[in-house]
Amino acid sequence: MAFQPIVDIQRRTIFAYEALVRGTEQESAGDILGQITEESRSAFDQSCRIKAMILAQQLGIASQRALLSVNFMPGANYSAVDCFRRTVQAAEWTGFPLTSLMFEISEMESLNDTDRLRAIASEYRRHGLTIALDDFGAGNSGLNLLADLDVQVLKLDGRLVRGIDTQPRAEEIVRSTSAMANRLGVQIVAECVETQAEVDILLDCGITLMQGYLFAKPTFESLPEITWPKEPVQQRHATALKLASGLSSVA
């Protein structure tokens, strides 16, 4: 596993660390996932979950009050109860707290059995775990899944985020999605953030949770150092007004 942080720009804290599949020689996720068959999918999904929890416990992720975000494979042949039971067993075996887990369901996955997926998500939520819908905006069923599943986090697909400062249509879509999510009580994470200009637009859209190379690249079996961007223009302006107000009251 490699780990990449999801940061809260406003608070300058870590919201979560996403566990990303790697080979033992640091082969890419694509190389590893390409070897998974339908027959091995469930066992692979469980093995990834256990490995991520082991490393997260060793690295002290929960003690940072950050979530461990793991990718859930909807095609794995689990019932809702069995899926949760396996997760509980993994948590007990590794010592990692259940309530510090966030499961990411990719919109790009083939989701043929939404009733089963809904049952699994509900079972996890009933026990206090966090559910995220990944790659939102990239697939064909994003709004349907958002309506069907009790998710707490939406992760915007990187294609909506990259270059958003020069893409007015993408900006309007993200701004509208952020407003909708706010009304639903759902948090938004912007993925693939790489520039300060993107940060400024995302903040203006009301999005403070971000993930991308601007902050840290994934690091193998370790937690990366985070590069915090400069204070955004809007925040600098607000800080200046606050200081000016304070000086006036002192005078």
Side-chain angles (χ1 to χ4, degrees), residues 152-170:
Q152 293 71 55
V153 177
L154 283 184
K155 296 188 75 178
L156 291 176
D157 184 67
R159 283 172 290 184
L160 285 172
V161 175
R162 291 190 193 95
I164 191 173
D165 53 301
T166 60
Q167 303 290 337
R169 293 174 71 88

Side-chain angles (χ1 to χ4, degrees), residues 185-226:
V186 175
Q187 293 179 288
I188 285 191
V189 174
E191 297 186 283
C192 302
V193 179
E194 297 182 353
T195 70
Q196 180 66 43
E198 291 166 355
V199 169
D200 287 342
I201 294 297
L202 290 165
L203 283 170
D204 194 56
C205 291
I207 297 171
T208 61
L209 299 180
M210 303 181 197
Q211 180 178 11
Y213 283 6
L214 180 65
F215 315 108
K217 293 182 179 180
T219 56
F220 185 66
E221 297 193 343
S222 62
L223 302 183
E225 284 192 30
I226 295 170

Side-chain angles (χ1 to χ4, degrees), residues 98-213:
L98 269 179
T99 52
S100 293
L101 282 174
M102 178 168 78
F103 285 91
E104 296 190 20
I105 300 168
S106 176
E107 188 190 335
M108 296 299 288
E109 287 271 2
S110 177
L111 304 174
N112 299 318
D113 190 350
T114 54
D115 287 340
R116 186 176 65 87
L117 187 57
R118 187 187 302 113
I120 290 173
S122 296
E123 185 70 13
Y124 278 148
R125 284 297 302 136
R126 193 166 67 86
H127 293 277
L129 282 72
T130 302
I131 304 294
L133 185 55
D134 195 15
D135 304 314
F136 188 76
N140 299 317
S141 55
L143 291 174
N144 288 332
L145 279 177
L146 182 57
D148 284 342
L149 301 181
D150 181 16
V151 302
Q152 293 71 55
V153 177
L154 283 184
K155 296 188 75 178
L156 291 176
D157 184 67
R159 283 172 290 184
L160 285 172
V161 175
R162 291 190 193 95
I164 191 173
D165 53 301
T166 60
Q167 303 290 337
R169 293 174 71 88
E171 179 184 341
E172 186 54 41
I173 291 169
V174 169
R175 193 176 296 277
S176 299
T177 302
S178 177
M180 173 188 66
N182 184 57
R183 290 193 295 272
L184 292 172
V186 175
Q187 293 179 288
I188 285 191
V189 174
E191 297 186 283
C192 302
V193 179
E194 297 182 353
T195 70
Q196 180 66 43
E198 291 166 355
V199 169
D200 287 342
I201 294 297
L202 290 165
L203 283 170
D204 194 56
C205 291
I207 297 171
T208 61
L209 299 180
M210 303 181 197
Q211 180 178 11
Y213 283 6

